[in-house]
């Protein structure tokens, strides 16, 4: 079974530039998550989708971050304009349903962003 | 909201020695508890999880964890560590009806030969 796919794996941009990350979840998984993991910290949930609807985006900095999951499968996370503090690994994850119901969350390998 | 504390930032053990990584959580109801492992440059891999039932749960790679409600703890253990176990370990807590899962800051494990 294919895992969660993410691209690009690595990206270096200058501050104030924009960047987009793509995620393809495990086939059949209705729930998709984007996490931000800053060096030395645990992952922090940015946004959670159930199919193509947003379940939780309370920790998403909406002035510069946006995410969409138009057809309930793939998702894109965009940062515009980027700040130095956005340097982090962006992890995409998916689960069959909402994980609190006992569904395991599976993570991709992450997209590493460096803002200079 | 729930929260997780991993008191140890970095632990070093000798290969073949036993291991215990500590995790304390804060949550008013019965939590869903997880341990994940992250190797350098990789995503997170689930080691084990606790939802209900037997408080001692077995996971992959020879790991186990014990849920102790009275101590609000979910410590991870392994009787004999292998060099390949060197990685970052994250404890996480989730809620029953929502997957607002919160992670600890992680414990980095170094294995000495």
């Amino acid at each position: 079974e294919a895992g969660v796919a993410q691209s690009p794996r690595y990206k270096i941009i200058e501050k104030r530039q924009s960047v987009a990350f793509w995620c393809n979840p495990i086939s059949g998984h209705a729930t998709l998550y984007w996490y931000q993991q800053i060096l030395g910290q645990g992952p922090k949930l940015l946004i959670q989708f159930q199919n193509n609807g947003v379940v939780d985006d309370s920790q998403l900095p909406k002035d510069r971050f946006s995410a969409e999951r138009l057809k309930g499968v793939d998702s894109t996370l965009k940062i515009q304009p980027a700040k130095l503090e956005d340097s982090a690994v962006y992890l995409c994850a998916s689960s069959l349903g909402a994980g609190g119901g006992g569904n395991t969350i599976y993570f991709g390998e992450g997209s590493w962003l460096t803002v200079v | 909201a729930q929260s997780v504390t991993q008191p140890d930032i970095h632990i070093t053990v000798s290969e073949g020695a036993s291991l215990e990584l500590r995790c304390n959580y804060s949550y008013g109801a019965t939590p869903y508890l997880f341990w994940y492992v992250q190797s350098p440059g990789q995503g997170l891999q689930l080691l084990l999880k606790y939802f209900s039932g037997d408080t001692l749960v077995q996971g992959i790679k020879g790991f186990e964890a014990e849920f102790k409600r009275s101590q609000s703890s979910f410590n991870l253990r392994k009787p004999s560590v292998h060099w390949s176990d060197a990685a970052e370990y994250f404890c996480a807590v989730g809620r029953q009806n929502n997957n607002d899962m919160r992670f600890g800051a992680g414990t980095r494990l170094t294995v000495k030969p």
Side-chain angles (χ1 to χ4, degrees):
Chain A
E1 176 181 277
V4 177
Q6 291 188 244
S7 67
R9 288 294 315 276
Y10 305 94
K11 192 75 175 178
I12 301 174
I13 62 173
E14 295 181 350
K15 58 183 179 182
R16 292 187 290 275
Q17 286 187 324
S18 63
V19 63
F21 301 113
W22 172 84
C23 172
N24 182 238
I26 293 173
S27 178
H29 281 195
T31 308
L32 185 147
Y33 316 80
W34 283 102
Y35 285 83
Q36 179 192 57
Q37 185 178 16
I38 294 173
L39 186 65
Q41 299 181 19
K44 181 183 81 172
L45 179 68
L46 292 177
I47 189 166
Q48 176 184 344
F49 293 95
Q50 183 74 15
N51 296 309
N52 60 353
V54 176
V55 173
D56 182 356
D57 63 356
S58 57
Q59 300 188 91
L60 185 74
K62 299 180 183 64
D63 57 334
R64 297 182 301 103
F65 286 66
S66 65
E68 59 183 12
R69 194 185 185 199
L70 292 176
K71 296 183 179 179
V73 181
D74 294 6
S75 176
T76 302
L77 176 70
K78 296 180 181 177
I79 307 173
Q80 181 179 14
K83 292 185 175 181
L84 296 176
E85 59 261 37
D86 298 331
S87 295
V89 181
Y90 292 86
L91 296 164
C92 181
S94 69
S95 63
L96 274 174
N103 294 288
T104 298
I105 297 178
Y106 297 90
F107 286 82
E109 292 187 328
S111 292
W112 295 65
L113 173 65
T114 300
V115 182
V116 298
Chain B
Q2 68 274 34
S3 65
V4 176
T5 301
Q6 293 181 248
D8 305 304
I9 296 173
H10 184 204
I11 283 183
T12 300
V13 300
S14 297
E15 189 168 18
S18 64
L19 171 70
E20 182 169 27
L21 301 182
R22 296 184 291 165
C23 172
N24 294 99
Y25 69 90
S26 173
Y27 183 54
T30 301
Y32 286 4
L33 295 162
F34 309 80
W35 274 100
Y36 282 84
V37 61
Q38 186 177 36
S39 297
Q42 303 297 313
L44 283 78
Q45 181 184 23
L46 180 68
L47 285 175
L48 47 79
K49 59 187 178 184
Y50 171 78
F51 290 158
S52 64
D54 192 346
T55 57
L56 183 64
V57 293
Q58 303 296 322
I60 62 172
K61 304 185 179 185
F63 286 92
E64 67 177 25
E66 185 171 14
F67 171 57
K68 293 185 177 180
R69 184 187 299 275
S70 62
Q71 299 178 19
S72 297
S73 69
F74 189 58
N75 294 348
L76 181 72
R77 301 193 294 249
K78 187 169 185 178
S80 178
V81 169
H82 188 262
W83 64 266
S84 60
D85 294 325
E88 189 91 18
Y89 291 80
F90 293 94
C91 182
V93 59
R95 297 187 289 169
Q96 283 191 352
N97 298 315
N98 180 294
N99 203 47
D100 180 12
M101 194 161 68
R102 300 299 173 101
F103 285 83
T107 298
R108 184 161 60 93
L109 173 66
T110 298
V111 180
K112 293 191 302 183

